[in-house]
Every structure is written in structure tokens, then in C-alpha cells.
Amino acid sequence: MSIQISNLNFSYSSSNSTLFEDFSLQFFDGWTCVAGSNGCGKSTLLKLIAGIIEPDGGKILCNGVGGNASTSGVFYCPQETAEIPENLYTAFWSDDNEVRRFFSRLCVTEEMLERYDTLSGGEKKRIQIACALAEQPSVLLLDEPTNHLDSETTKMISDALGDFHGIGIMVSHDRGFADSLCNRTIYLYNEAQSFAGGRDCIACDTYPCGLTKALELRQSGQEQSRGNWERLNSKASSEKQRSARLEAENQKSKARLSKKTISAKDHDAKLKQDIARISGKDRTTGDAKARLETQIRQTEAERDSIKKALRRKEGFSVENTDYSKPIIIEDTQIQAGSYTLQIPHLEIKRGTKFALTGQNGAGKTLFVNHVIGLLEAAGRQGELLYLPQEISYEVREQIFEEFAELEENERGEVLSTLYRLGSEPTRLSAENSAGGGSGEQQVSPGELRKLMIALAVQRPLSLLILDEPTNHMDITSVLALESALASLDCAMIVVSHDKAFLAKITNASLTAERTSPTSGRLSVLSN
């Protein structure tokens, strides 16, 4: 089975630019990961394949038949899980054991169906995936399936999807999850933002491997393209310099052969110049220059045939700080409702970067709130940046107000940091960033997180607490954030289930685990 996309054209009515223009791509049986920056059309591509939105031109064929969600066995799972899947109850109570087994495998119980609105994001995602597999589609489309999931739930879903036989396409920034399922990666990008002289529309590169390897190959390919372009450009420059020298020599030669400076009665001198012209002794520089001009044109043509990857600056630094006082956490018990978490004695020093892991509900957020409370009680809240998993409307308003009130040079520094984190700062203009303007509405949750970070690092910090910082972020932003956080020397507590992300930036580990239904403990795993 295959999906053939041919000469696809699509743009949103609210946009002045074309998203896809003469875009062609093919999908086959097995899992394919679709990656790329925010705004490069990943979710749009899935919705076009599912028939949720219609292209402006071109064709999308599933085994030679025009595809849409109702007729071609295509099932689309969006990022959001607030809506109850339409087939939930009919599939769960189906008489077909082959259908019901997906719910059993993903540990979906009758009790969960009765309280869907109160389920965690991970529980809702398990139900969503079970409903998708129960339909036994020929094409399964997943948009960021691992946001908000702990490692246990992620493993459970990965195992279930591993048995899917058909065309599976996922948009994901989770390298571990994508690598476990995908043997092919499609990387979408805006040509104009990626390559010198590129078109302002989406193109793609295909890699016959998982996401991690594809990113390595992409980076290597970009470095090679820049190296080859610069080598040929340098060669062309050298050849032009040689050509200029030959031209100067040629002009001198012409001056020597000119009869204007010879007396009309000096017949011997004129005869010698005529002989020089006939023998070609002084014509060598001109011939050499002509050959070199041909070589220059060939070198420039070879250079211009290369798609030169644009280099993007990355990383940022926190303002210099005199905060050298460590954060001391005493051995204690903290409580939330009926749940109690035992915390050991901890000393968080500058440069200590903790990875805080554990199952959902084991007490990670409880511990984070305890640390924040200790800093506030000590009057040290100004040293802290806390990036929560979900940002409330009130906090969102405060962020945009803070940005709007910045001086011009300060705003420039914030926008520069945003760019280095993989964003396009033009989306944030001063006139629409405050008071609920259109700029606010256009900023995604991932972009909002990066704006919070960019604002915070303009002041001295002693502790960064990041709760699932990669949720809602594209892979480009994740890699840029990875690089930036790895270079910072302030203390950090990072809550994440992204093992690759944690491995890059942390140097110590904490884990929260349940020891009973009403109690748990926090343990230091390594330093």
C-alpha cells in the first residue's frame, strides 16, 4: 500500500504566502516520522492526508484512490485529547475480541470511560490510541502522541503501535519514541529560511532511518553543503584575482606593442613589434586570461548548483550573577491531600543540573512546588525562573505585558534570544504583543515557553525549574534549547520524559516513586 502526493498546492486563507507549492511525496507501509520547525506544515500535511482539509491543487492518492478520512481507512489522532473519540463506546463494547483487545492492551478500563473528563493526559491518550487501533485503519496518523506522557505510558503506547500493519505517519519531536517505531523520516522545511535563494514555501528531505540518525545526517549534510559552497566560492575568488593580474599584464603588453610611442622614422622598432605580434610572444597573457574566464564561469556554475544551507546562531547566556549561595533542602515530608512524599537532604549548588523523573502522580510537581516555596520564604524568588507545564491565561497576559514594556534595546535582546531558540521573532511585534492583540493569538504554546525563557535570562538567575519544557516544541527548538541549556552554569531542575534531552543537559538525577498508594519518596540516583 502507498500514499502518493503529487504537485500539492495549499495555503490558508488567512495567510499571504503559499505553504505547499508543487509538493510531491510518497509514503509506504511502516512507520514514518515527520519532523521540522513550527509552522512548516507538519500538522497541515496530516490533515490533508486525512481529508480534514482540502488542497488547493494537486492530488493525494491512497493506492490510486483519492483519500479522505471516511472512505479510505484513514484515522487521524490530533494532539489534543479533550474530545471523546467518536467510536469509544461502540469499540469498547464491541462483540469482536480483536477490537476489544486494544483497550485491554493499553489498560483502558470501564471505570475510565465513566470519568473521561477527569482523566490525566496520559490516560486520555491511551484511550485515543486504543480507539484508533480498534478501527483497524490502513493509514494511521498521529500528531505529537507523547506530549505529557510518562515513560511507562510511552512504552505501553509504543509497544501497541509496533504491531500496527499499514501506513503509519507520526509528527513527533520525541527522538526515543520515534526511533523505536520509525525506519523513515521526512523533514519539512521552508526553503527560503533554510537555503540561500530558496523559495518561500515548504520542501522536504527524506532519510531512510529514525529521527535521531536523520537529524545527524541533516546536520552533516548542511555542514557539507556550506563547506562545498564556501570552497568553490573561495576558488572563484582566487581565479578572479588571477584574472585581474593577467588583465593588468595584458594591458602592459598592449602598451609595449603600441606604435604610438615610436618615432615614425624608427622602422627597426616597428618591425620588431610586428614580428612580436606575428610570433605571438606577447599574446600568451591574453590567451591565459580567456581560458581563466571560462574556468571562472564553470566554478561559479558549480557553486551556484549547491543548495547552501544557511547558518543559524544558537545558544544564549544568563546575565552574570553573584548568586553563589546554595539552595538547601532539609530532610522532610511534604503532603498534598492524602499523598505524602519523603524528601532527602539536598544541596543544590551552582552548576548542578538535576533530571527529575518518575511516573505521573509520583510527586514530581509536589517537590517542585516545595522548592519554589522555600525560595519565596527566603525572599529569593527573584533568583528563580519556573517554567510550568501549562501556562494560565493570567500568566500569558503578564508575559506579553512584560515584553511590551521593554526598552527597545532590551526587546532586541529578547528577540535575538528567541531567534537563537529556533523562532522567527517577526511573529512578535511591539504593537500586537500586549492587551490581547492578534500577536498574542498567533503565538503557540511552544513559542510562549521560549518567550518566557528569553525574558527570564535577561536578569541574573541562580535556579531554573523547567517542567516538561519540550512539550509543544518542534524538534528544531528542542535541539536549540538543548544546546543553550547545556552551556548555562546556573543550577537547574528539569522535569522531562525525553531521555535524549536530559542526557544532553543534566549531570545529576532525582527520581520520584510511589511506595504505596498514599506515599512516595524522592531519591538521588547519581551525582
Side-chain angles (χ1 to χ4, degrees), residues 181-218:
L181 291 167
C182 302
N183 53 23
R184 187 167 178 255
T185 299
I186 305 295
Y187 194 97
L188 302 181
Y189 58 91
N190 181 289
E191 276 195 355
Q193 295 172 9
S194 301
F195 295 99
R199 301 175 302 160
D200 187 18
C201 61
I202 302 303
C204 71
D205 290 330
T206 302
Y207 302 92
C209 54
L211 178 57
T212 299
K213 183 64 176 176
L215 293 171
E216 293 173 357
L217 291 173
R218 180 169 180 78

Side-chain angles (χ1 to χ4, degrees), residues 314-512:
E314 294 182 350
F316 58 78
S317 60
V318 173
E319 281 289 311
N320 291 333
T321 174
D322 295 327
Y323 298 140
S324 57
K325 186 178 179 181
I327 300 166
I328 305 298
I329 302 172
E330 301 294 347
D331 187 338
T332 186
Q333 285 188 344
I334 55 177
Q335 193 162 354
S338 60
Y339 189 74
T340 301
L341 182 68
Q342 181 69 44
I343 298 176
H345 175 84
L346 288 173
E347 188 172 338
I348 304 176
K349 300 179 181 179
R350 182 173 180 172
T352 302
K353 302 177 182 180
F354 281 110
L356 177 55
T357 59
Q359 293 180 354
N360 290 342
K364 299 188 297 295
T365 301
L366 185 59
F367 171 69
V368 164
N369 290 335
H370 178 64
V371 175
I372 294 172
L374 291 176
L375 284 171
E376 290 176 345
R380 300 177 62 184
Q381 61 266 36
E383 306 174 28
L384 168 73
L385 165 63
Y386 171 50
L387 186 66
Q389 198 170 138
E390 297 297 336
I391 300 172
S392 67
Y393 178 78
E394 291 75 15
V395 172
R396 182 187 179 94
E397 288 275 299
Q398 293 172 9
I399 295 168
F400 280 99
E401 287 177 7
E402 182 180 351
F403 177 73
E405 292 170 1
L406 293 176
E407 298 292 335
E408 185 175 350
N409 64 321
E410 294 174 325
R411 187 181 296 116
E413 291 177 0
V414 169
L415 294 176
S416 176
T417 299
L418 277 173
Y419 179 79
R420 289 166 183 258
L421 286 173
S423 293
E424 295 302 325
T426 51
R427 297 174 186 171
L428 277 173
S429 58
E431 64 269 18
N432 65 16
S433 291
S438 60
E440 242 180 86
Q441 302 303 320
Q442 293 171 1
V443 176
S444 68
E447 297 293 293
L448 188 62
R449 288 166 171 270
K450 287 183 282 186
L451 178 57
M452 286 184 71
I453 293 172
L455 287 167
V457 298
Q458 303 306 311
R459 57 181 171 83
L461 293 173
S462 61
L463 179 64
L464 280 170
I465 300 179
L466 308 174
D467 193 351
E468 295 291 357
T470 61
N471 276 356
H472 306 295
M473 283 195 185
D474 58 82
I475 190 62
T476 304
S477 300
V478 170
L479 294 176
L481 182 61
E482 233 178 46
S483 176
L485 294 178
S487 67
L488 297 185
D489 65 351
C490 63
M492 292 184 206
I493 298 174
V494 185
V495 181
S496 179
H497 301 108
D498 188 331
K499 293 180 180 178
F501 182 78
L502 291 176
K504 180 69 178 291
I505 65 174
T506 62
N507 53 26
S509 298
L510 297 169
T511 184

Side-chain angles (χ1 to χ4, degrees), residues 88 92 103-104 106-110 112-113 123 126-127 130:
L88 172 57
F92 185 84
F103 295 93
S104 175
L106 288 167
C107 301
V108 176
T109 64
E110 180 180 349
M112 291 169 65
L113 272 60
E123 290 170 325
R126 276 160 40 203
I127 289 177

